[in-house]
Amino acid sequence: QVQLVESGGGSVQAGGSLRLSCAASGLTNSPYAFGWFLQAPGKEREGVAAIDSIGSTSYADSVKGRFTISKDNANNTLYLQMNSLKVEDTAIYYCAAAHSTIPSPAVVAGYGMDYWGKGTLVSISS
């Protein structure tokens, strides 16, 4: 059973940076796509960034140029480097994995993911 555990959330001022981590366990040798999603208060969950099984990345328009997704295959850890943070980035951030070769744009667009973490809170103040 795949388990995903996020960490790295916190409270920072606008313009600051945070790096989220997602430790994955239970992975097999089969291909996976990974993504970061956020859910702001009162809103639906939406895709932020994704990396697919061949290492291609995609981003939501709202975070392009500010966020970077990466993956450490040796340690089964997914990262989201978030720079130039804005108040509107405030949300719970979730890590997710799909046991699939789906391309990264499909992950960001909301393709069904198979496994989810419990989330980590990011709070940006002005």
Side-chain angles (χ1 to χ4, degrees):
Q1 179 72 10
V2 174
Q3 292 188 324
L4 304 170
V5 179
E6 303 95 337
S7 61
S11 298
V12 298
Q13 288 192 321
S17 298
L18 282 173
R19 188 176 81 156
L20 305 183
S21 299
C22 173
S25 60
L27 299 175
T28 67
N29 289 328
S30 300
Y32 291 88
F34 294 89
W36 286 98
F37 297 78
L38 67 80
Q39 186 164 21
K43 296 186 178 181
E44 293 187 355
R45 188 163 55 193
E46 59 187 72
V48 175
I51 185 166
D52 60 27
S53 59
I54 61 172
S56 295
T57 59
S58 295
Y59 299 89
D61 288 343
S62 60
V63 306
K64 281 180 181 177
R66 300 189 298 123
F67 290 11
T68 303
I69 188 171
S70 62
K71 185 162 58 76
D72 182 341
N73 291 323
N75 293 307
N76 288 333
T77 303
L78 183 73
Y79 299 100
L80 185 68
Q81 178 66 44
M82 306 187 295
N83 299 327
S84 302
L85 283 161
K86 304 176 181 180
V87 172
E88 52 264 41
D89 294 323
T90 295
I92 298 175
Y93 284 72
Y94 299 90
C95 169
H99 200 168
S100 172
T101 58
I102 55 170
S104 57
V107 174
V108 175
Y111 182 90
M113 305 301 280
D114 298 313
Y115 310 100
W116 291 88
K118 294 184 178 181
T120 184
L121 177 63
V122 170
S123 179
I124 311 302
S125 59
S126 59

